[in-house]
Amino acid sequence: ILTILGNSAVLATAVRRSSLLKPPELLTVNLAVADTGMALSMYPLAIASAWNHAWLGGDTSCVYYALMGFLFGVCSMMTLCAMAVIRFLVTNSSKSNSDKITKSTVCILIAFIWLYSLLWAILPLVGWGYYGPEPFGISCTIAWSKFHNSSNGFSFILSMFLLCTVLPALTIIACYLGIAWKVHKAYQEIQNIDRIPNAAKLEKKLTLMAVLISVGFLSSWTPYAATSFWSIFNSSDSLQPVVTLLPCLFAKSSTAYNPFIYYIFSKTFRCEVRKLQCCCAWRVPYFSSDNSMENPVSTMWSG
């Protein structure tokens, strides 16, 4: 519920402000699409299976669930990687160079992210890797436990781990470390804190927001990755069901964090959410059309 409501608010805000969106913000929209897609395509079936104490459906629904999870998971990871790279380029480039990152460029990048994610999700269906049930039996994913006896499966896991997890994670860390160093040097050059330009303060806030989004995603999925790799080299029976279940649930919670981060750090998003609340619940006309575009931050929720 939190995932769908929060990311729907992000998407609704993006639609309302479509003409005002900057190119990097399209990646935020893409991340919300991936989180919403994961929630709608996977969570109802997993919840119903949990209440049933067994997986609902047969092999077909299991493959479908694992495919959706892999597709949206890789898409989210690569979107975060792209956000970090673009934030790094914008921070370390001159104004003229940063203007070269246009909406068409970002749209091409988003299309590549989806094609890349779809390619990896389809590979187990054509014979490289496997999909199968989780050890606790109420959801499905990559069949980690089959890979320690299969060179085909192990090569898939190793390639996927390097190209879809390690390399993007290292890129994210390197980009934000570079940004942090750049911001630190810039602040050192300005002796008086009161003289720091508003643009620099905004850049720092945007970078912090992007870092928190990435940290939330990586920290949510790290326990799941750890237990999954344990099952590659050891029997899944060596772990209690709850030990494999909790990391899976924690990983799924990653789709709910981002809207709260946007709400805390973005005044514009807070304003738009309040506007949506009024329109959906009370339909209260709380600002004039003359002032709405000029001063959106001054909008008050009169509901």
Side-chain angles (χ1 to χ4, degrees):
I1 291 173
L2 290 176
T3 297
I4 293 174
L5 290 180
N7 287 286
S8 295
V10 174
L11 296 176
T13 299
V15 170
R16 294 174 65 92
R17 301 181 64 252
S18 58
S19 60
L20 303 175
L21 288 178
K22 298 178 181 179
E25 292 178 314
L26 296 176
L27 291 171
T28 303
V29 176
N30 190 57
L31 189 60
V33 170
D35 290 343
T36 304
M38 182 177 287
L40 292 176
S41 63
M42 298 172 58
Y43 295 175
L45 187 56
I47 293 170
S49 298
W51 282 104
N52 188 54
H53 300 284
W55 178 251
L56 291 176
D59 294 338
T60 302
S61 63
C62 185
V63 170
Y64 158 79
Y65 183 94
L67 176 68
M68 293 296 104
F70 198 18
L71 171 65
F72 292 120
V74 174
C75 180
S76 297
M77 185 65 172
M78 300 310 298
T79 301
L80 291 173
C81 182
M83 289 172 63
V85 172
I86 289 182
R87 174 58 49 194
F88 177 81
L89 294 176
V90 170
T91 303
N92 290 272
S93 301
S94 61
K95 178 67 176 176
S96 59
N97 290 332
S98 62
D99 289 340
K100 294 180 181 179
I101 303 176
T102 62
K103 284 189 176 181
S104 59
T105 302
V106 176
C107 288
I108 294 174
L109 179 59
I110 290 174
F112 173 78
I113 288 172
W114 280 104
L115 290 175
Y116 184 81
S117 305
L118 183 62
L119 172 64
W120 279 102
I122 291 177
L123 286 176
L125 300 181
V126 296
W128 194 29
Y130 313 95
Y131 286 134
E134 299 268 18
F136 49 87
I138 56 173
S139 70
C140 295
T141 184
I142 298 171
W144 304 91
S145 59
K146 293 183 179 180
F147 295 148
H148 62 278
N149 294 325
S150 169
S151 58
N152 172 45
F154 187 78
S155 63
F156 171 77
I157 281 294
L158 184 61
S159 302
M160 182 272 294
F161 182 66
L162 292 176
L163 298 177
C164 298
T165 305
V166 174
L167 186 59
L170 291 178
T171 302
I172 291 171
I173 294 171
C175 286
Y176 287 131
L177 286 177
I179 293 171
W181 177 251
K182 178 76 173 181
V183 172
H184 173 70
K185 297 296 290 184
Y187 271 62
Q188 273 190 334
E189 295 174 359
I190 304 174
Q191 300 297 329
N192 188 355
I193 192 69
D194 295 328
R195 296 177 56 191
I196 296 177
N198 290 332
K201 294 179 181 179
L202 177 61
E203 187 69 27
K204 182 179 179 181
K205 180 181 290 188
L206 291 175
T207 300
L208 180 59
M209 182 174 69
V211 168
L212 289 177
I213 292 170
S214 299
V215 168
F217 183 86
L218 294 175
S219 61
S220 298
W221 282 92
T222 297
Y224 179 77
T227 56
S228 298
F229 265 79
W230 172 271
S231 63
I232 294 177
F233 303 102
N234 302 273
S235 173
S236 57
D237 297 334
S238 61
L239 295 175
Q240 294 294 326
V242 68
V243 176
T244 57
L245 173 61
L246 291 180
C248 183
L249 296 178
F250 192 46
K252 288 181 171 63
S253 70
S254 65
T255 58
Y257 299 153
N258 296 340
F260 292 98
I261 297 174
Y262 303 147
Y263 191 86
I264 292 172
F265 285 91
S266 174
K267 291 183 179 180
T268 303
F269 182 63
R270 287 199 298 270
C271 175
E272 291 292 338
V273 168
R274 290 165 184 166
K275 185 177 177 180
L276 288 172
Q277 288 174 326
C278 292
C279 292
C280 295
W282 293 277
R283 299 183 183 277
V284 178
Y286 55 90
F287 62 92
S288 65
S289 59
D290 295 334
N291 298 328
S292 61
M293 295 302 296
E294 297 177 356
N295 190 19
V297 177
S298 64
T299 303
M300 297 298 293
W301 179 22
S302 58

